[in-house]
Amino acid sequence: MGSTVEKVEVSGVVVRGHRVASGNAEDSPYPAGTIALQTPFFRARGVDVGRFFPGTINVSISPQQVSEIRPKVTLDRVQWVSDVPPETFSFLDCVLNFETVCYHGLVYYPHPETKVRHFQSKSIIEVLMPKVPSLTYGSRVVLFLDSSEISFA
């Protein structure tokens, strides 16, 4: 008998991030974007993010915060570029609902303890998704996540 995944639903608003994941930040040291640079390293370790837009969608769930992440997939010490120390990344399955359409993707969680810059608030969930038509800053979305992988405060 298969197990049932219990989903947790969290509402949020799309907000502007650091814009380095997509390479759109004017002062980004990575004009191609960090996601494009990380993609082959993730793929080599079994996580293919190549089907998603090469940037993150930053969803503010404020005033809620992520209190715990228990991912099924973590990539330890990924050396994706030579000028920063290796980073650890976790990925969680995620569904984003926008304007009654559901998009399947991943929560992208670079572990803050291994990052050197571009930190996120605990009220921001970064997601990798296919291109979502008409999604803009200020758009309201709903995320559906596996309750065994994430908790909120």
Side-chain angles (χ1 to χ4, degrees):
M1 198 159 251
S3 63
T4 303
V5 174
E6 187 176 326
K7 295 289 184 186
V8 60
E9 176 181 330
V10 62
S11 297
V13 176
V14 175
V15 296
R16 183 177 171 140
H18 300 291
R19 303 181 75 204
V20 293
S22 63
N24 289 327
E26 290 179 19
D27 62 345
S28 176
Y30 313 109
T34 59
I35 300 298
L37 293 171
Q38 294 164 353
T39 294
F41 295 95
F42 295 162
R43 186 179 294 123
R45 294 202 188 186
V47 177
D48 186 4
V49 299
R51 66 189 183 276
F52 303 125
F53 176 80
T56 59
I57 298 170
N58 294 274
V59 179
S60 171
I61 60 166
S62 182
Q64 291 189 85
Q65 294 186 341
V66 174
S67 61
E68 187 177 7
I69 290 187
R70 302 168 299 279
K72 292 182 181 109
V73 177
T74 296
L75 306 179
D76 289 313
R77 300 184 44 80
V78 177
Q79 185 70 59
W80 61 273
V81 69
S82 63
D83 64 342
V84 296
E87 292 182 67
T88 297
F89 299 87
S90 289
F91 300 91
L92 294 73
D93 287 328
C94 175
V95 173
L96 179 143
N97 181 281
F98 175 61
E99 296 182 337
T100 71
V101 178
C102 289
Y103 301 87
H104 294 263
L106 297 170
V107 169
Y108 166 85
Y109 182 73
H111 288 240
E113 66 275 13
T114 64
K115 290 179 63 82
V116 294
R117 57 183 168 262
H118 304 116
F119 297 96
Q120 295 287 6
S121 156
K122 289 185 177 192
S123 291
I124 300 290
I125 298 176
E126 291 184 88
V127 296
L128 296 169
M129 291 285 155
K131 187 75 172 155
V132 179
S134 69
L135 188 75
T136 61
Y137 300 134
S139 293
R140 297 187 100 27
V141 299
V142 177
L143 300 176
F144 297 92
L145 303 143
D146 182 337
S147 63
S148 71
E149 292 188 288
I150 194 166
S151 299
F152 302 99

